[in-house]
Amino acid sequence: MLTETSLSIWGWGSLGIVLSLITFGPFVIFYLAFYILCFVGGGFVVTLLFGKTNSEKYLEQCEHSFLPPTSTGIPKCLEEMKREARTIKIDRRLTGANIIDEPLQQVIQFSLRDYVQYWYYTLSDDESFLLEIRQTLQNALIQFATRSKEIDWQPYFTTRIVDDFGTHLRVFRKAQQKITEKDDQAKGTAEDLVDTFFEVEVEMEKDVCRDLVCTSPKDEEGFLRDLCEVLLYLLLPPGDFQNKIMRYFVREILARGILLPLINQLSDPDYINQYIIWMIRDSNCNYEAFMNIIKLSDNIGELEAVRDKAAEELQYLRSLDTVGDDINTIKNQINSLLFVKKVCDSRIQRLQSGKEINTVKLAANFGKLCTVPLDSILVDNVALQFFMDYMQQTGGQAHLFFWMTVEGYRVTAQQQLEVLLSRQKDGKHQTNQTKGLLRAAAVGIYEQYLSEKASPRVTVDDYLVAKLADTLNHEDPTPEIFDDIQRKVYELMLRDERFYPSFRQNALYVRMLAELDMLKDPSFRGSDDGDGESFNGSPTGSINLSLDDLSNVSSDDSVQLHAYISDTVYADYDPYAVAGVCNDHGKTYALYAITVHRRNLNSEEMWKTYRRYSDFHDFHMRITEQFENLSNILKLPGKKTFNNMDRDFLEKRKKDLNAYLQLLLTPEMMKASPALAHYVYDFLENKAYSKGKGDFARKMDTFVNPLRNSMRNVSNAVKSLPDSLAEGMTKMSDNMGKMSERLGQDIKQSFFKVPPLIPKTDSDPEHCRVSAQLDDTVDDNIPLRVMLLLMDEVFDLKERNQWLRRNIKNLLQQLIRATYGDTINRKIVDHVDWMTSPEQVADLVKRFRDAFWPNGILAETVPCRDKAIRMRTRVAGKTKLLSIMPDELKHIIGAETTRKGILRVFEMFQHNQLNRRMVYVFLEGFLETLFPQYKFRELFNKLHSRSKQIQKYKQKLQTTQAPSLQKR
């Protein structure tokens, strides 16, 4: 049934199709599809038109039913725009001081002109937007100025900046030490030093590291944007801050237009070097400092730059056609330049060959060392601390402590007896009390060092000890009561192979010579490949004669030295200065030309050296201080103060000085004082004469020298410094009974590495900020705190003998109090007030304006200076810094330590990334001081928290703490 039905359907369907094709033709299918499409489209159009009409009617009904009637927006805007632009009045007052407001307004005007107007006027001529930005900037500056007036800036400038600088220097020093420990042979690159620096920073700061801000420009820009936005939030009114467009404009101007260029300039090493030279422009370059910089430089670029400049000057001088007196001047200049060129070539050759460049190690290897007598060591502040360290290593410290304690007792006893005599003359009698104090001190020394109970005990002849005990029991003590035993102890230290003889063969002796500036420096002689190298020349050695050749004279009787003044030269240049350019502050001065003959069995040499009349006096003062027996034999004629161009006076004294030289060089004089030869040879060597202590330095000896000074310094060692020089003797008299015991214990304790100003803490003092180590209860004296911070960190005194550190602290205390410490404090406070005065602030704003907009025009990007010029600038900067270092500082802490400290500070400024870090640290401290009520420290920690160094440090802490936790 179903089959029949389906067949009928298909049959009828087929029949219908055939009939349609026969009737309408083959296009019937297309017509049918077209008709259907038109039907559907027409229905859709009708539906759309009907729906649109009904929707409009419905929306109109809804609008009138639910919304209140409003005016049309576009016509209203057009009406507002057709009105005249309303004038915006801007108050030009910013800080309340006209001298500051005027340059500040110019800075704002220039900033808008060069960072906004140049593109804004291409979009619109309307001034209102620019005026709104200007008003926003002024509001921020007004708030900033108001808040600055409310802050006491003295702690920031006297403590915070010093702490930040000292901490930065400590991180740099520890980074250098880590680089050195990693590989003693290979020198780490600048990138390694920067990476290590930020590793140490994390260890010290614990929760902050600024490596991303200092090394990544993208992160730095992001940091400045975030910081500027926070500042705008604090300084702008809420309405202005909520205006995002205005806020972003101001933020970009501050971050990228002002702060970033300023930071780039302040962190540029070449800019810092030029600024250092400018700051000490009044100081003349010292020839000896320049040569020391060349001989100590480990930067081939610096040496090549100086060598090339010397070669260029040589070529110019040789091209000059001169006659007469000028030719002698040019010859001197050429000789100086040749010497400089030779030193540079020698240093470059040694650096390129990878040979040892450390002066101390070279001196130890070659073994040609100067001899310093024991008596000179015992009376020199710097040398004594090295001898102390050595005596501790050999177990002979008791002998040295005894010698020092007796020396202090003698000085004290002499002073006490003088006071006693003066009081007796005035009718005051305290004889028994004073003698009792002296007896107590003497018995204390005996019990501590000579009695059977003493530990350790000084070993001397028993009969001397018994004689001393008998004297103490039956006679009044005198200053000379210990002289016999002290003399025996001195002879023991001098002749016993364990002590002074072995000390001369120890590395500590070489380091001592370096601190005394008595080491020779490496130079090359012989073949060009350096096989003929030797260790010769003084720190200012010459081409013609080396110090080791001269030093051999003292040990060889066949060598004869003869000197006489052959001529008097009147010059306006220093013959030992590089290229002959150095006059004494523009003055012409006179020189004695000394002809020196050196004869031995096989050869004879002759050279000329030049000395001023004042050099003779300085030399005479130096040797008479060292050798007291010469003061009665050698008499230098004439006076020291005179007209330097008084030719009659100079010629008259020429014969007297010749006689002085002849007497000085006699064999009898040399044999009587063998150590005198070193001073004589140094004076006659063909080099610039290195003057000894000045008048102020000699006055300072009463403070610096631990054995020639008065009992005030001895009492300082036990922290009982008198409040004033006048009250000193009274207070010392009260403490006399326990002086010797306390002094001995203090000297012993000085070897324990616990700095006296550092309180005991659970953390390593070297891994914390500098300010964390200051005990504020020790001395609330601003100069002392600042000087201790800088001395400790710049010269790394923590690594030194604590006796020296304590002595330096006492010296600073005495100098400050003796020169009216309160007055110094007042001067510091006045200086801070002056720095923050309107006049100074206005001057800083003007300098900023002139630096960025010279003559009112935006400064172009400063082209990078040639590498050779930058290298020579580095040499000039280091030379300037070394030149201004006073000799008194070298006498206190040592010449080598002074040089290393100064060069370490200079080297720290030669890394752009590290300079940026210091700038940001100062900026953070400034903002924390300006906004103390806000949590800027936490904000900075969050901004720096993305550093990978912090993550590594935390992982390292977890790794180290895990074993201890497991044990628990």
Side-chain angles (χ1 to χ4, degrees):
M1 188 67 181
L2 293 174
T3 304
E4 293 177 357
T5 304
S6 59
L7 288 175
S8 62
I9 292 173
W10 282 104
W12 286 106
S14 301
L15 180 62
I17 291 172
V18 172
L19 294 176
S20 298
L21 290 173
I22 294 173
T23 305
F24 298 104
F27 298 100
V28 63
I29 298 175
F30 298 102
Y31 292 147
L32 181 61
F34 178 74
Y35 294 152
I36 295 174
L37 181 63
C38 289
F39 176 78
V40 174
F44 180 76
V45 171
V46 172
T47 304
L48 181 63
L49 292 175
F50 178 77
K52 179 177 181 299
T53 304
N54 290 337
S55 298
E56 290 177 351
K57 292 180 180 180
Y58 180 75
L59 289 175
E60 187 177 356
Q61 293 176 359
C62 292
E63 182 179 357
H64 290 290
S65 301
F66 304 104
L67 297 177
T70 58
S71 60
T72 307
I74 295 178
K76 184 69 175 177
C77 291
L78 293 175
E79 184 180 353
E80 290 288 338
M81 294 175 65
K82 289 178 181 179
R83 294 181 181 179
E84 285 190 16
R86 187 179 42 169
T87 304
I88 300 178
K89 295 183 179 181
I90 296 180
D91 190 354
R92 299 181 65 84
R93 294 176 298 178
L94 297 175
T95 64
N98 292 330
I99 57 175
I100 301 177
D101 293 346
E102 181 180 352
L104 265 181
Q105 288 289 352
Q106 292 178 344
V107 170
I108 295 175
Q109 178 183 348
F110 294 155
S111 300
L112 293 177
R113 182 195 66 190
D114 295 324
Y115 295 111
V116 179
Q117 291 180 5
Y118 81 96
W119 59 263
Y120 176 75
Y121 282 138
T122 61
L123 303 177
S124 174
D125 295 331
D126 185 35
E127 298 282 345
S128 59
F129 176 73
L130 299 176
L131 294 176
E132 290 289 348
I133 292 182
R134 188 186 188 98
Q135 185 66 50
T136 302
L137 285 173
Q138 291 196 174
N139 290 336
L141 288 174
I142 291 172
Q143 292 295 325
F144 180 84
T146 303
R147 191 172 295 274
S148 298
K149 295 176 183 178
E150 300 172 354
I151 300 299
D152 180 15
W153 292 105
Q154 178 187 331
Y156 174 74
F157 285 106
T158 59
T159 304
R160 179 63 186 265
I161 283 185
V162 177
D163 176 35
D164 290 338
F165 178 80
T167 302
H168 185 84
L169 181 59
R170 173 177 292 181
V171 176
F172 179 76
R173 174 171 54 82
K174 291 183 68 64
Q176 282 186 321
Q177 292 174 355
K178 279 196 171 185
I179 291 292
T180 304
E181 292 171 359
K182 287 180 181 178
D183 193 344
D184 292 335
Q185 301 298 327
K187 182 183 176 183
T189 62
E191 291 77 10
D192 295 336
L193 179 61
V194 171
D195 294 340
T196 308
F197 178 92
F198 288 110
E199 290 178 5
V200 178
E201 182 191 21
V202 177
E203 296 175 359
M204 188 168 295
E205 300 282 357
K206 308 300 182 186
D207 53 359
V208 64
C209 183
R210 302 171 181 84
D211 57 337
L212 289 180
V213 176
C214 300
T215 58
S216 172
K218 182 179 179 181
D219 290 305
E220 183 180 18
E221 292 179 5
F223 173 80
L224 290 177
R225 288 193 184 99
D226 294 339
L227 183 59
C228 289
E229 193 147 357
V230 172
L231 292 177
L232 292 177
Y233 173 77
L234 297 176
L235 298 175
L236 290 180
D240 291 342
F241 182 79
Q242 296 300 328
N243 188 338
K244 290 187 177 181
I245 297 178
M246 195 73 64
R247 185 172 82 235
Y248 290 160
F249 269 113
V250 176
R251 184 191 70 182
E252 291 301 312
I253 291 175
L254 291 176
R256 303 208 39 174
I258 297 178
L259 286 180
L260 190 58
L262 181 62
I263 293 172
N264 288 336
Q265 184 175 17
L266 293 178
S267 58
D268 181 19
D270 189 49
Y271 172 80
I272 295 176
N273 296 340
Q274 295 178 63
Y275 189 72
I276 290 173
I277 297 173
W278 177 82
M279 285 183 63
I280 50 181
R281 60 191 179 278
D282 295 333
S283 172
N284 290 329
C285 281
N286 182 278
Y287 165 77
E288 185 174 351
F290 172 74
M291 294 310 303
N292 277 333
I293 292 300
I294 296 299
K295 294 176 181 180
L296 294 173
S297 176
D298 57 358
N299 189 312
I300 296 180
E302 292 179 359
L303 298 171
E304 290 178 343
V306 174
R307 181 194 62 187
D308 294 343
K309 188 64 176 178
E312 180 182 336
E313 290 293 325
L314 277 171
Q315 185 177 2
Y316 169 74
L317 290 175
R318 286 167 174 167
S319 66
L320 296 177
D321 185 12
T322 56
V323 294
D325 295 337
D326 292 340
I327 194 170
N328 294 325
T329 302
I330 293 178
K331 284 183 178 179
N332 287 328
Q333 294 176 356
I334 289 176
N335 288 335
S336 298
L337 290 170
L338 286 172
F339 178 49
V340 171
K341 188 172 180 296
K342 177 187 176 182
V343 173
C344 291
D345 287 334
S346 300
R347 189 71 177 176
I348 291 172
Q349 183 180 359
R350 179 170 286 275
L351 288 170
Q352 291 177 341
S353 63
K355 295 181 179 180
E356 183 60 61
I357 60 174
N358 187 287
T359 307
V360 176
K361 294 182 179 179
L362 281 169
N365 293 336
F366 284 97
K368 296 182 179 180
L369 304 175
C370 300
T371 299
V372 181
L374 179 60
D375 55 353
S376 299
I377 293 175
L378 293 176
V379 298
D380 187 90
N381 187 57
V382 176
L384 182 57
Q385 59 114 351
F386 288 98
F387 190 56
M388 271 188 177
D389 289 339
Y390 177 77
M391 294 295 282
Q392 183 199 16
Q393 295 176 6
T394 58
Q397 64 268 31
H399 298 80
L400 180 59
F401 293 163
F402 172 78
W403 193 93
M404 294 173 62
T405 307
V406 169
E407 195 71 16
Y409 167 82
R410 179 188 297 107
V411 175
T412 304
Q414 290 173 351
Q415 290 184 349
Q416 291 296 308
L417 292 177
E418 291 174 2
V419 173
L420 179 62
L421 290 175
S422 64
R423 290 184 177 181
Q424 287 178 347
K425 291 180 181 180
D426 297 337
K428 300 178 181 179
H429 299 282
Q430 293 182 345
T431 305
N432 295 333
Q433 181 182 0
T434 302
K435 290 182 178 180
L437 292 173
L438 291 175
R439 182 181 300 279
V443 171
I445 296 175
Y446 173 82
E447 294 291 339
Q448 186 171 356
Y449 293 104
L450 301 172
S451 67
E452 296 181 357
K453 299 179 181 179
S455 178
R457 185 170 183 263
V458 175
T459 56
V460 292
D461 296 338
D462 293 337
Y463 78 93
L464 291 176
V465 177
K467 180 181 177 182
L468 174 64
D470 184 68
T471 302
L472 289 174
N473 291 330
H474 300 92
E475 299 179 13
D476 292 334
T478 63
E480 299 81 16
I481 191 172
F482 293 99
D483 281 4
D484 292 338
I485 299 180
Q486 187 187 29
R487 193 177 301 108
K488 285 290 183 181
V489 170
Y490 176 83
E491 292 178 358
L492 178 66
M493 291 190 296
L494 178 64
R495 311 201 180 277
D496 194 319
E497 288 296 329
R498 297 174 298 166
F499 303 140
Y500 176 70
S502 297
F503 173 63
R504 290 183 54 192
Q505 309 299 324
N506 193 275
L508 287 173
Y509 184 77
V510 181
R511 290 176 54 193
M512 181 196 74
L513 293 179
E515 295 295 352
L516 296 175
D517 210 8
M518 297 176 66
L519 268 189
K520 310 167 189 178
D521 68 299
S523 63
F524 289 93
R525 294 188 303 179
S527 60
D528 295 335
D529 58 2
D531 293 337
E533 64 178 294
S534 65
F535 194 75
N536 67 89
S538 68
T540 53
S542 65
I543 301 175
N544 299 327
L545 192 63
S546 59
L547 190 59
D548 63 325
D549 295 331
L550 283 175
S551 61
N552 291 334
V553 177
S554 61
S555 60
D556 190 352
D557 294 336
S558 63
V559 178
Q560 298 178 356
L561 200 66
H562 178 66
Y564 63 93
I565 299 176
S566 57
D567 195 8
T568 305
V569 181
Y570 301 92
D572 59 355
Y573 67 93
D574 184 348
Y576 295 108
V578 177
V581 182
C582 181
N583 56 358
D584 193 1
H585 302 284
K587 299 179 181 179
T588 301
Y589 51 82
L591 297 168
Y592 287 112
I594 305 175
T595 301
V596 184
H597 292 269
R598 176 178 180 266
R599 299 185 182 91
N600 56 25
L601 296 177
N602 301 321
S603 63
E604 178 178 350
E605 292 183 85
M606 184 186 72
W607 67 90
K608 277 190 176 183
T609 187
Y610 297 88
R611 295 290 177 259
R612 298 176 62 178
Y613 186 83
S614 59
D615 294 339
F616 278 93
H617 272 277
D618 184 87
F619 170 72
H620 181 73
M621 292 177 66
R622 182 185 296 188
I623 62 175
T624 51
E625 283 181 355
Q626 292 293 330
F627 311 97
E628 296 180 359
N629 59 320
L630 297 181
S631 59
N632 298 324
I633 303 174
L634 287 173
K635 299 294 183 181
L636 187 67
K639 54 184 179 179
K640 183 174 180 181
T641 304
F642 67 99
N643 184 356
N644 209 17
M645 291 306 297
D646 188 348
R647 302 197 178 195
D648 293 337
F649 171 82
L650 294 172
E651 294 297 335
K652 187 182 299 183
R653 293 293 179 259
K654 181 177 175 180
K655 294 182 179 180
D656 297 331
L657 291 177
N658 269 324
Y660 179 84
L661 287 175
Q662 300 307 317
L663 177 61
L664 189 65
L665 295 175
T666 57
E668 293 78 9
M669 185 73 70
M670 292 296 180
K671 291 180 180 179
S673 302
L676 174 64
H678 169 73
Y679 296 93
V680 175
Y681 301 145
D682 182 69
F683 181 73
L684 295 178
E685 190 179 0
N686 185 17
K687 65 169 187 175
Y689 177 59
S690 176
K691 290 192 175 183
K693 305 175 185 177
D695 293 336
F696 178 71
R698 291 183 169 90
K699 295 176 182 178
M700 287 271 294
D701 278 345
T702 57
F703 294 109
V704 177
N705 197 310
L707 301 177
R708 290 180 180 173
N709 56 13
S710 67
M711 190 50 208
R712 285 190 295 271
N713 284 11
V714 177
S715 60
N716 279 337
V718 292
K719 297 184 179 180
S720 58
L721 180 71
D723 295 331
S724 66
L725 299 180
E727 300 173 358
M729 293 310 301
T730 302
K731 188 170 182 180
M732 286 182 286
S733 177
D734 297 337
N735 294 334
M736 190 65 187
K738 298 182 179 180
M739 178 275 300
S740 61
E741 180 181 356
R742 295 174 65 186
L743 176 62
Q745 293 296 333
D746 184 73
I747 295 177
K748 289 182 180 180
Q749 292 175 1
S750 68
F751 282 99
F752 294 98
K753 301 300 180 180
V754 181
L757 292 181
I758 301 178
K760 293 182 179 180
T761 57
D762 295 333
S763 59
D764 182 4
E766 282 290 291
H767 288 81
C768 61
R769 293 182 63 86
V770 172
S771 59
Q773 303 180 45
L774 274 180
D775 187 358
D776 294 334
T777 62
V778 173
D779 197 331
D780 192 22
N781 194 307
I782 295 175
L784 180 61
R785 293 189 305 182
V786 172
M787 292 172 75
L788 285 175
L789 279 171
L790 294 180
M791 291 281 283
D792 268 354
E793 295 307 321
V794 172
F795 302 109
D796 194 15
L797 296 181
K798 298 180 188 65
E799 300 298 325
R800 306 289 296 275
N801 187 311
Q802 291 307 311
W803 175 83
L804 175 65
R805 256 189 115 241
R806 194 185 302 269
N807 197 29
I808 292 173
K809 171 183 175 289
N810 295 331
L811 168 68
L812 295 178
Q813 286 178 329
Q814 283 196 33
L815 287 178
I816 290 171
R817 294 182 179 179
T819 55
Y820 308 102
D822 294 337
T823 304
I824 295 179
N825 277 341
R826 197 157 48 246
K827 287 184 178 180
I828 290 179
V829 173
D830 293 342
H831 186 71
V832 172
D833 293 338
W834 174 77
M835 289 173 59
T836 56
S837 64
E839 293 78 11
Q840 279 303 108
V841 174
D843 184 63
L844 290 175
V845 175
K846 290 177 181 178
R847 290 185 182 183
F848 174 81
R849 177 200 62 193
D850 296 338
F852 279 81
W853 293 279
N855 299 321
I857 301 174
L858 182 65
E860 298 181 357
T861 302
V862 179
C864 185
R865 300 203 307 165
D866 181 71
K867 181 181 177 181
I869 298 178
R870 287 187 281 115
M871 291 295 104
R872 287 197 293 271
T873 305
R874 287 183 53 163
V875 174
K878 288 190 282 188
T879 303
K880 283 278 192 179
L881 285 176
L882 275 188
S883 299
I884 64 171
M885 285 299 104
D887 291 336
E888 291 77 20
L889 184 63
K890 299 178 183 178
H891 299 152
I892 295 173
I893 62 177
E896 185 71 9
T897 299
T898 302
R899 278 194 294 266
K900 284 185 177 180
I902 296 302
L903 295 181
R904 181 187 296 116
V905 173
F906 186 86
E907 180 63 26
M908 181 183 69
F909 288 119
Q910 305 312 306
H911 303 274
N912 186 286
Q913 299 91 333
L914 307 190
N915 294 338
R916 301 184 95 84
R917 189 260 180 192
M918 188 163 58
V919 172
Y920 282 116
V921 168
F922 288 160
L923 178 61
E924 292 172 9
F926 175 80
L927 293 178
E928 290 177 23
T929 305
L930 187 63
F931 302 98
Q933 68 274 32
Y934 300 108
K935 300 179 180 179
F936 261 93
R937 172 48 51 196
E938 297 181 4
L939 172 65
F940 289 130
N941 290 348
K942 291 180 181 178
L943 292 177
H944 296 305
S945 60
R946 293 182 293 107
S947 171
K948 294 182 180 179
Q949 295 286 359
I950 297 180
Q951 300 174 3
K952 292 180 181 179
Y953 178 71
K954 291 181 178 179
Q955 293 176 357
K956 182 180 178 181
L957 280 182
Q958 294 175 355
T959 304
T960 55
Q961 292 176 357
S964 60
L965 293 175
Q966 291 177 359
K967 292 180 180 179
R968 294 181 181 177

